[in-house]
């Protein structure tokens, strides 16, 4: 109780807007979800007002969980997921964060493969303009006897302005020996030649950027119950940045 | 239609075009030939407004208007089309989506009503069919995984759909086998050989000119037009090379 607010020395908060966190402190306890063995759970998180979402999910034996996140609103927005996978469970995250101005947006995940044969996949796309900061810290921990773990992290960020910042840190902590963990991480800018090609065919610069960014985030919300809502909200936000 | 006068342009800090003068009238096809590095592609990029290609002197008018004052997308809407020497891959954006958006953006810019999805697909199907490209390719991401020849064919399909007044075709013939060359040549004649249109055909080889008969042939060397003639000049160049002529 009454733990003091985190500081930048806390790894999971190192890029956070500490004054915003302090103002929100103490946080409510994380929402805790238990997905029973063999169950299927799905959740959409649309962070559009500048808030901190913390979710703890324990995924039972053979159960599945799909989380889709669109992190776009407020000066400071944080989505934190703490996932524990039991035997043969599956976790999927599809997340997009889009920030401009002075926004600070973060997606922080800890995915623990506690037992064998569980699978996890995380796709995170960030688009950042102005002096916005977008952070993904994703730790995948594989317990000693969690053999045949299969884990993927695909993390990409697109910077629309040189003044924007992307922090991306996929992290692996593996204590089992028969595991497959893949992670890729790329931070880039829109392809200038591609933009010129679109413009040379008559598309105005802002629309050309929007078309390419739409392609950049495409697919992340595939299969979400709220796919259309998420896609529309993402496109609207992209339209505000270009 | 197009009047280029004493055009000087830099790429970065390097002067590439050094006083180029050229004039195209409606109904004409002009071929530009010249050695590698002469500035042929640079001319195409400068005319279409590629960032980083800076005009330092001279003027270009297109139908009497200052072309250089326009943004690239406005030049396209005004009727200018650049067929790229190296067509660009755009992952995640389908050809159909790209071309419909491009065509409707141009129409909007000209104050015309947009084409509906069905109207657009009809035009796209006609043009793809005429150039021997199947609709599946039109649905794929722009140029991604296309062979060199397919990319060039795609440029011609785009030209057919957009139906420009002036086409600058930068080595559209390179990378084509003999059948594709004929298809592309026929496409250029069909789409662009009209009394109210003009073509600037940049090429290395005489062979495309067997299909698309130029009214004028120019030699571009060291950033300038060094010689102008009729179709026979291309044959002469093929026989004697550029060195001879530049001397
Ligand atoms: N993006 C660029 N940056 C620097 N130099 C360039 C660039 N593009 C072209 N050049 C230079 O400009 C000159 C003309 O090139 P280009 O117009 O492509 O010639 P061509 O099409 O006639 O072969 C060459 O010396 C080339 O090296
Ligand atoms: Mg060239």
């Amino acid at each position: 109780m009454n733990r003091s607010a985190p500081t930048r020395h806390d790894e999971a908060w190192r890029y956070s807007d500490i004054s915003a966190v302090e103002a929100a402190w103490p946080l409510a306890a994380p929402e805790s979800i238990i997905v029973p063995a063999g169950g299927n759970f799905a959740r959409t998180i649309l962070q559009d007002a500048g808030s901190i979402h913390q979710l703890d999910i324990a995924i039972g034996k053979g159960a599945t969980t799909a989380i889709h996140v669109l992190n776009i609103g407020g000066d400071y927005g944080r989505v934190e997921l703490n996932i524990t996978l039991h035997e043969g469970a599956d976790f999927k995250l599809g997340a997009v964060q889009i920030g401009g101005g002075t926004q600070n947006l973060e997606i922080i995940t800890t995915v623990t493969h506690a037992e064998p044969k569980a699978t996890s996949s995380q796709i995170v796309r960030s688009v950042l303009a102005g002096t916005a900061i977008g952070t993904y810290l994703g730790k995948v921990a594989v317990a000693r006897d969690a053999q045949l773990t299969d884990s993927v992290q695909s993390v990409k960020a697109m910077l629309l302005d040189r003044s924007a910042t992307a922090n991306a840190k996929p992290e692996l902590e593996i204590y089992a020996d028969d595991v497959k963990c893949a992670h890729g991480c790329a931070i880039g800018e829109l392809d200038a030649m591609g933009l010129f090609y679109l413009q040379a065919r008559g598309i105005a610069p802002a629309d050309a950027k929007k078309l390419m960014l739409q392609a950049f985030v495409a697919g992340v919300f595939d299969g979400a119950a709220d796919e259309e809502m998420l896609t529309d909200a993402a496109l609207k936000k992209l339209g505000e940045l270009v | 239609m197009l009047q280029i006068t004493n055009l000087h342009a830099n790429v970065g800090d390097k002067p590439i075009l050094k006083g180029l003068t050229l004039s195209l009238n409606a109904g004409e096809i002009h071929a530009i030939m010249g050695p590698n590095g002469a500035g042929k592609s640079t001319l195409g990029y400068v005319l279409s407004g590629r960032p980083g290609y800076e005009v330092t002197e001279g003027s270009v008018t297109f139908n009497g208007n200052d072309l250089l004052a326009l943004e690239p997308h406005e030049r396209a809407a005004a009727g200018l089309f650049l067929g790229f020497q190296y067509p660009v891959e755009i992952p995640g954006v389908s050809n159909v989506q790209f071309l419909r958006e491009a065509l409707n953006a141009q129409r909007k810019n000209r104050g015309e009503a947009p084409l509906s999805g069905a109207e657009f697909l009809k035009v796209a199907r006609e043009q793809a069919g005429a150039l021997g490209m199947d609709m599946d390719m039109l649905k794929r991401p722009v140029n991604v995984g296309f062979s060199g020849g397919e990319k060039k064919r795609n440029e011609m399909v785009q030209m057919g759909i957009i139906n420009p007044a002036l086409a600058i075709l930068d080595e559209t013939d390179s990378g084509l086998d003999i059948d594709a060359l004929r298809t592309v040549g026929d496409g250029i004649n069909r789409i662009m050989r009209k009394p109210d249109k003009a073509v600037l055909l940049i090429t290395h080889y005489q062979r495309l000119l067997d299909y698309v008969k130029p009214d004028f042939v120019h030699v571009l060397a060291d950033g300038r037009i060094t010689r102008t003639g009729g179709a026979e000049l291309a044959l002469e160049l093929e026989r004697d090379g550029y060195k001879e002529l530049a001397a």
Side-chain angles (χ1 to χ4, degrees):
Chain A
M1 284 300 287
N2 270 337
R3 218 160 54 78
S4 56
T7 70
R8 287 190 179 278
H9 297 297
D10 295 296
E11 178 59 27
W13 302 84
R14 59 186 291 188
Y15 301 112
S16 307
D17 179 344
I18 291 297
S19 59
V21 176
E22 281 169 349
W25 207 262
L27 304 177
E31 184 181 351
S32 178
I33 293 158
I34 293 172
V35 185
N40 302 302
F41 176 75
R43 169 72 68 85
T44 290
I45 301 169
L46 172 60
Q47 192 299 106
D48 60 355
S51 46
I52 299 175
H53 296 246
Q54 293 177 309
L55 230 64
D56 289 355
I57 309 178
I59 312 175
K61 187 173 174 177
T64 72
T65 293
I67 305 290
H68 293 95
V69 174
L70 180 59
N71 191 16
I72 52 174
D75 288 332
Y76 177 62
R78 176 181 177 98
V79 176
E80 194 175 329
L81 303 172
N82 192 359
I83 311 290
T84 304
L85 293 138
H86 292 280
E87 187 173 346
D90 178 63
F91 169 66
K92 283 195 173 60
L93 170 68
V96 173
Q97 48 188 359
I98 306 169
T102 58
Q103 282 186 287
N104 182 334
L105 303 171
E106 342 187 70
I107 294 171
I108 314 296
T109 65
T110 304
V111 174
T112 304
H113 287 249
E115 293 177 0
K117 294 183 196 162
T119 50
S120 66
S121 151
Q122 302 181 61
I123 300 174
V124 180
R125 300 287 178 263
S126 302
V127 178
L128 302 159
T131 57
I133 302 170
T135 300
Y136 167 78
L137 304 178
K139 185 197 254 185
V140 173
V142 180
R144 193 170 304 280
D145 64 346
Q147 305 298 353
L148 301 176
T149 285
D150 192 335
S151 158
V152 185
Q153 288 166 287
S154 164
V155 183
K156 290 183 187 166
M158 191 70 89
L159 303 180
L160 301 186
D161 297 303
R162 291 280 162 91
S163 46
T165 305
N167 304 303
K169 192 176 172 204
E171 192 185 349
L172 296 171
E173 200 179 279
I174 305 177
Y175 294 103
D177 48 26
D178 188 8
V179 304
K180 209 163 94 191
C181 292
H183 61 177
C185 173
I187 298 174
E189 299 172 18
L190 285 175
D191 174 36
M193 202 58 200
L195 280 176
F196 173 61
Y197 191 65
L198 296 177
Q199 289 171 53
R201 293 290 176 262
I203 300 175
D207 294 324
K209 284 185 187 168
K210 206 173 151 189
L211 203 55
M212 291 180 75
L213 290 172
Q214 193 178 336
F216 177 68
V217 303
V220 176
F221 300 133
D222 281 0
D226 301 300
E227 183 175 343
E228 204 174 309
M229 180 276 284
L230 289 168
T231 305
D232 290 350
L235 289 185
K236 182 162 172 277
K237 176 75 180 185
L238 288 174
E240 290 164 11
L241 295 190
V242 297
Chain B
M1 176 179 276
L2 185 72
Q3 179 65 53
I4 306 171
T5 309
N6 188 34
L7 186 63
H8 292 251
N10 287 1
V11 182
D13 290 335
K14 195 174 159 195
I16 306 292
L17 300 183
K18 303 168 184 170
L20 188 147
T21 296
L22 182 66
S23 151
L24 269 79
N25 296 311
E28 294 175 353
I29 293 183
H30 292 236
I32 290 198
M33 306 182 79
N36 270 328
K40 303 184 296 297
S41 292
T42 299
L43 175 62
Y45 288 140
V46 167
L47 294 177
S48 53
R50 180 172 168 191
Y53 287 67
E54 191 205 350
V55 174
T56 52
E57 206 182 320
S59 67
V60 182
T61 63
F62 182 43
N63 291 328
N65 301 313
D66 180 3
L67 183 71
L68 303 177
L70 303 178
E71 299 278 316
H73 68 287
E74 297 168 331
R75 299 182 194 196
L80 186 144
F81 178 91
L82 173 66
F84 282 61
Q85 181 174 3
Y86 304 107
V88 184
E89 300 187 5
I90 321 262
V93 178
S94 80
N95 257 313
V96 169
Q97 181 188 17
F98 158 53
L99 283 169
R100 183 169 169 217
E101 192 157 327
L103 182 60
N104 281 339
Q106 292 195 23
R107 293 177 65 93
K108 188 174 168 202
N109 212 309
R110 294 191 293 258
E112 299 164 10
L115 291 189
S116 71
E119 288 167 328
F120 171 77
L121 277 179
K122 184 169 176 285
V123 177
R125 206 170 278 129
E126 276 168 19
Q127 294 301 330
L131 283 143
M133 187 160 135
D134 67 48
M135 281 305 282
D136 281 351
M137 282 191 79
L138 266 187
K139 289 176 187 151
R140 281 172 33 193
V142 180
N143 292 320
V144 177
F146 287 25
S147 71
E150 286 168 342
K151 286 178 178 170
K152 295 303 177 70
R153 213 183 274 248
N154 192 19
E155 292 291 286
M156 293 301 95
V157 173
Q158 294 180 29
M159 184 171 79
I161 291 171
I162 288 169
N163 195 21
L166 171 65
I168 301 159
L169 304 180
D170 192 357
E171 299 205 23
T172 299
D173 51 343
S174 62
L176 297 181
D177 62 34
I178 197 75
D179 291 336
L181 189 66
R182 181 191 301 274
T183 309
V184 163
D186 289 348
I188 296 171
N189 288 326
R190 176 177 56 82
I191 300 162
M192 298 304 297
R193 181 57 102 178
K194 305 243 168 91
D196 55 346
K197 296 189 173 199
V199 178
L200 195 55
L201 206 58
I202 296 170
T203 181
H204 250 334
Y205 307 104
Q206 147 69 24
R207 53 179 204 165
L208 179 63
L209 305 180
D210 290 337
Y211 299 100
V212 184
K213 286 270 167 280
D215 302 296
F216 298 93
V217 173
H218 309 275
V219 177
L220 173 52
D222 195 25
R224 276 184 217 95
I225 302 295
T226 54
R227 215 175 138 184
T228 293
E232 74 288 345
L233 178 55
L235 294 165
E236 209 179 307
L237 287 169
E238 183 101 327
R239 197 182 59 230
D240 301 339
Y242 299 114
K243 286 252 156 49
E244 201 84 357
L245 279 149

